[in-house]
Amino acid sequence: MRQQAILSIDQGTSSSRALLFNRDGKVLAVAQQELDCVYPQQGWVEQDAELIWLSVLKVCRQVLAQAVQLGIEVLAVSISNQRETTVLWHKAKDKVLAPAIVWQDRRTADYCQQLKDQGHEALVQQKTGLLLDPYFSASKIQWLLTHNADVQQALAEGELAFGTIDSFLLWRLTSGRVHATDTTNASRTLLLNIQSLSWDQELLQLFGVPEHILPQVKQSADAYGVCDTRLFGLALPVLALVGDQQAAALGQGCISTGSLKSTYGTGCFALLNTGCNPLFSKHRLLTTVAFTVQGHTFYALEGAIFVAGAAVKWLRDQLGVITQASETEALAQSLPDNGGVYLVPAFTGLAAPHWQPEARAALVGMTLGTGKAHLARAALEAVVYQTADLLSAMLADGAKVQQLQVDGGMVANNWLCQHLADVLNIPVLKPSQNEASAYGASVLAAVQLGWFESLNAVPFSAEAQQFLPQMSADKRQQLLSGWQNALASVLTENKKITNPN
């Protein structure tokens, strides 16, 4: 009998990847293509949605060719994707109308502030679990509706469509037959009522978004239609869509209440499973849909950090301090301490729990003795301290956290994992399954396919590398105090900029 597999598309900010997973969660084939962002103005971050589509098409064809060579039968497609990134296209012409506005983009900061000043944030948080911030899709849609003539023309013709990346890819995979999204991606738009799981009329009116341009909201594991056979020579059903951070939580087996994971990629995203009832934060964390499967919706408390691995990329590409990211581990280890040097990586503002879109990055505590090792260590430590801020907010909201499961490209760095354990003062587990997002999406498809009766029947790997706290309480407090001082200087400066008088 031929080995069977699910094709999992993992579309991220920095790359598009395709992987084949068997029933045991083993990767049978993989292909990847890197992607670039464009920064046309300060605070703007864009990508070419057509290039995203072509990259997905290319990597899928590569792994399907490997499947033929290996005699593997591919049964279905799943998609995990960068969230909030906004694409608008003309349905009849199947033409993208503007650059995709990436989740990191801050161009709508003033608009979001106006809505806050008008007193709308409480309503928005009550309905969506989110805050009024440029991070989410609604203000990006509103900006394109206001500023782009091609978008306005398509709207007038009744041919305008909006989608986050999952929805756009589904549209293309089905040759325009299906315009849909799942609850996790829909819950990141600022337009979904997360308790009714439907588009909210009051929010649509607030942002000026016509409902008819929005995709149908379905379960994370669902029948999403069939890929056009002209693409791959196969009529593959699409059985799962899920935002990448929720997918990573699933991939790490965070299916029970109280389980916590943090993904360290371009940004950092910590998700705490809160069960079947949404927990609304009093400390400016996000309440979001964790997944919907077999008629049941689970929720999560989320803390987002905009810049994690992106700071390491900045060291490499902008400063030339390193030639590859892996060098940061040895550089950090080469120092006995951080030398009092802290990086506050507010390159695109600060996310949870501060939500200061206008804040700007700062490197503090430097002397003439500061070298590239200090910069590398500061970039890594910044990720740890920001995670500590998120964990503190979760605990203040009543969460009980026993350990942290980590994944993402940055956790190949064992120094970082140990520093996380030391500063957070809890065990940090690095699971053996290092393809968490792609695997999480494939797990949903596997349940929909009938490989497993439910998520509880999935044999998530229990193998993990464990990092235990070793730092003294005094040293921990000293480091965190230094971070808070550095952070305060950035927040104070931001107040001066936003309130010059």
Side-chain angles (χ1 to χ4, degrees):
M1 183 177 174
R2 294 170 69 191
Q3 184 163 203
Q4 296 178 329
I6 291 168
L7 167 59
S8 187
I9 296 168
D10 183 12
Q11 203 301 300
T13 315
S14 56
S15 72
S16 295
R17 306 171 72 240
L19 304 92
L20 296 182
F21 289 95
N22 67 8
R23 194 181 295 243
D24 298 325
K26 180 183 177 185
V27 178
L28 305 177
V30 62
Q32 176 172 339
Q33 182 172 329
E34 290 197 3
L35 292 166
D36 292 322
C37 290
V38 178
Y39 309 94
Q41 295 185 36
Q42 183 177 336
W44 290 30
V45 188
E46 297 177 346
Q47 287 187 311
D48 186 330
E50 291 291 355
L51 292 181
I52 290 175
W53 163 243
L54 291 173
S55 69
V56 167
L57 201 57
K58 179 179 179 180
V59 294
C60 285
R61 286 172 171 166
Q62 287 175 340
V63 296
L64 289 171
Q66 293 179 58
V68 171
Q69 292 172 353
L70 296 169
I72 297 166
E73 182 184 11
V74 180
L75 299 182
V77 175
S78 65
I79 299 173
S80 73
N81 58 282
Q82 57 169 308
R83 306 169 304 170
E84 296 96 17
T85 295
T86 297
V87 185
L88 294 181
W89 66 92
H90 192 290
K91 289 188 285 189
K93 297 177 182 177
D94 193 18
K95 178 186 176 185
V96 173
L97 297 170
I101 302 182
V102 177
W103 55 273
Q104 296 161 305
D105 190 282
R106 315 305 289 166
R107 75 185 67 181
T108 60
D110 288 345
Y111 172 71
C112 290
Q113 187 61 49
Q114 288 171 15
L115 293 179
K116 284 185 195 176
D117 293 344
Q118 292 165 10
H120 295 297
E121 188 164 65
L123 174 74
V124 168
Q125 186 173 19
Q126 174 199 336
K127 287 175 176 283
T128 70
L130 309 177
L131 301 169
L132 276 170
D133 190 85
Y135 177 27
F136 307 108
S137 307
S139 65
K140 304 180 195 301
I141 302 171
Q142 194 276 340
W143 191 93
L144 287 166
L145 286 169
T146 305
H147 291 85
N148 188 292
D150 291 337
V151 167
Q152 293 164 356
Q153 180 64 31
L155 179 63
E157 294 171 6
E159 294 292 344
L160 184 63
F162 154 76
T164 41
I165 294 295
D166 59 305
S167 187
F168 173 64
L169 293 179
L170 178 67
W171 174 271
R172 285 291 173 87
L173 288 168
T174 61
S175 291
R177 290 192 299 274
V178 184
H179 185 207
T181 188
D182 90 300
T183 55
T184 67
N185 282 292
S187 75
R188 312 297 295 188
T189 60
L190 280 179
L191 300 173
L192 188 86
N193 185 310
I194 61 169
Q195 298 190 70
S196 68
L197 300 178
S198 59
W199 301 120
D200 188 276
Q201 295 304 315
E202 202 168 359
L203 295 174
L204 293 171
Q205 187 173 358
L206 177 65
F207 289 100
V209 175
E211 186 174 6
H212 66 82
I213 75 171
L214 303 177
Q216 178 188 2
V217 182
K218 304 184 75 168
Q219 297 187 99
S220 309
D222 215 324
Y224 277 98
V226 178
C227 294
D228 190 324
T229 53
R230 292 173 295 180
L231 296 175
F232 308 126
L234 297 168
L236 293 173
V238 181
L239 298 183
L241 304 184
V242 59
D244 55 5
Q245 302 312 319
Q246 288 92 331
L250 282 164
Q252 294 211 40
C254 294
I255 60 173
S256 59
T257 304
S259 48
L260 173 67
K261 76 88 200 176
S262 192
T263 298
Y264 296 96
T266 303
C268 162
F269 303 88
L271 257 73
L272 175 75
N273 187 323
T274 62
C276 294
N277 296 306
L279 172 63
F280 289 89
S281 175
K282 294 181 173 63
H283 298 86
R284 300 186 66 75
L285 298 176
L286 307 176
T287 303
T288 196
V289 175
F291 52 85
T292 304
V293 60
Q294 296 177 320
H296 299 289
T297 295
F298 282 72
Y299 294 89
L301 202 58
E302 176 177 323
I305 296 169
F306 291 145
V307 172
V312 175
K313 193 169 186 282
W314 171 71
L315 291 180
R316 184 192 70 187
D317 298 346
Q318 303 300 324
L319 301 188
V321 170
I322 53 174
T323 56
Q324 51 190 15
S326 58
E327 294 172 27
T328 57
E329 182 168 7
L331 286 169
Q333 284 176 331
S334 72
L335 297 172
D337 54 51
N338 66 9
V341 178
Y342 290 85
L343 171 66
V344 183
F347 296 99
T348 55
L350 286 171
H354 314 290
W355 297 106
Q356 295 281 348
E358 300 298 333
R360 286 295 170 260
L363 194 58
V364 302
M366 291 187 292
T367 69
L368 289 175
T370 300
K372 66 178 185 178
H374 292 94
L375 300 186
R377 182 160 174 156
L380 297 179
E381 286 195 356
V383 173
V384 175
Y385 302 137
Q386 290 180 101
T387 305
D389 289 346
L390 297 183
L391 184 60
S392 294
M394 287 180 177
L395 295 174
D397 278 328
K400 292 178 173 57
V401 178
Q402 303 296 323
Q403 62 186 29
L404 173 67
Q405 294 179 215
V406 297
D407 69 276
M410 290 191 80
V411 303
N413 186 322
N414 284 337
W415 185 91
L416 173 66
C417 294
Q418 183 59 53
H419 206 61
L420 273 167
D422 287 340
V423 171
L424 302 181
N425 199 29
I426 56 173
V428 169
L429 302 182
K430 181 164 67 171
S432 57
Q433 174 56 269
N434 57 7
E435 300 289 357
S437 292
Y439 179 54
S442 76
V443 162
L444 289 170
V447 171
Q448 184 69 17
L449 196 59
W451 278 5
F452 305 106
E453 287 186 13
S454 68
L455 286 176
N456 290 323
V458 177
F460 293 104
S461 173
E463 296 177 25
Q465 186 176 357
Q466 189 174 55
F467 299 84
L468 299 175
Q470 298 174 356
M471 185 177 286
S472 71
D474 288 346
K475 179 64 174 175
R476 182 181 303 114
Q477 187 54 52
Q478 179 188 342
L479 289 173
L480 288 170
S481 294
W483 164 253
Q484 290 301 326
N485 290 336
L487 185 63
S489 69
V490 167
L491 295 174
T492 301
E493 188 61 31
N494 182 45
K495 287 178 182 175
K496 291 179 186 174
I497 293 169
T498 54
N499 300 294
N501 297 321

